[in-house]
Amino acid sequence: IGTASPGAKMHVSAGNVKVDSGYGIDFSATNDGTTMSSELLNDYEEGSFDPVILGTSSNPTVSYTARGAKYVKVGSTVHVTVRLYWGSISSGSGDMQIAGFPFTSGAINGNWWTGAVGYTAASHWDSGKQPQKCMLAASDTGMKLWVADGSYAVAVGDHDDGSGELYLQITYHTF
């Protein structure tokens, strides 16, 4: 397929269009915005990973019943959905963190990326300590759980030793 640069090649193979590494789809003809940093779409990926529950001071012992997460990365934007079921959780200390994300979050003036807790089984959380949102710090691969008003992070000890489940989603950037 014709290109302006002989070094940049596009291939059609088995009905798929492939662009050589380091290249992408260039949208610069639209000339949008004066603060843009790029108009080159050069990455797309879908995948899955097994998230883990950690404590920021010491890790708990977790017996997972089921766990899984899926992600879609388009350019520098990553969207993650997480599903966790556990039969028991014990020990551990510090803030509860859901970790194992495939990409490190980007740093924007030290701010946090925020997400939502879509569902959690309430029966095993201490009163008033059921997580309602999740936050991913800059330059991190795991998110903390927070109570609704954001006044504090949920600690590993805020959940008794019984079973639990969480459904979470978050979108963040890698730049």
Side-chain angles (χ1 to χ4, degrees):
I1 297 178
T3 63
S5 169
K9 296 180 181 171
M10 217 164 61
H11 312 276
V12 178
S13 173
N16 296 314
V17 176
K18 294 181 180 181
V19 180
D20 286 349
S21 180
Y23 299 95
I25 300 171
D26 187 344
F27 293 97
S28 62
T30 60
N31 198 19
D32 301 321
T34 58
T35 60
M36 70 180 167
S37 61
S38 176
E39 288 193 343
L40 184 66
L41 178 59
N42 60 2
D43 193 12
Y44 179 86
E45 182 176 329
E46 294 179 16
S48 61
F49 64 96
D50 287 329
V52 294
I53 297 174
L54 302 177
T56 55
S57 297
S58 66
N59 294 330
T61 301
V62 182
S63 174
Y64 298 102
T65 306
R67 63 184 168 143
K70 294 199 177 277
Y71 69 88
V72 175
K73 182 175 186 282
V74 180
S76 63
T77 303
V78 182
H79 181 75
V80 175
T81 57
V82 175
R83 174 185 164 225
L84 282 167
Y85 287 98
W86 61 92
S88 65
I89 184 170
S90 60
S91 303
S93 62
D95 298 336
M96 184 178 279
Q97 187 176 28
I98 310 303
F101 285 30
F103 302 100
T104 302
S105 61
I108 297 183
N109 299 325
N111 291 330
W112 294 65
W113 303 99
T114 58
V117 175
Y119 173 77
T120 180
S123 62
H124 295 287
W125 295 97
D126 292 348
S127 179
K129 297 183 178 178
Q130 183 175 355
Q132 298 293 315
K133 60 184 173 182
C134 47
M135 296 174 69
L136 177 63
S139 303
D140 207 346
T141 58
M143 60 187 168
K144 291 182 182 179
L145 304 175
W146 292 78
V147 296
D149 68 2
S151 60
Y152 64 89
V154 175
V156 172
D158 291 341
H159 188 280
D160 67 22
D161 292 342
S163 62
E165 60 185 304
L166 286 169
Y167 292 86
L168 315 164
Q169 62 180 342
I170 191 165
T171 300
Y172 66 97
H173 293 274
T174 59
F175 55 77

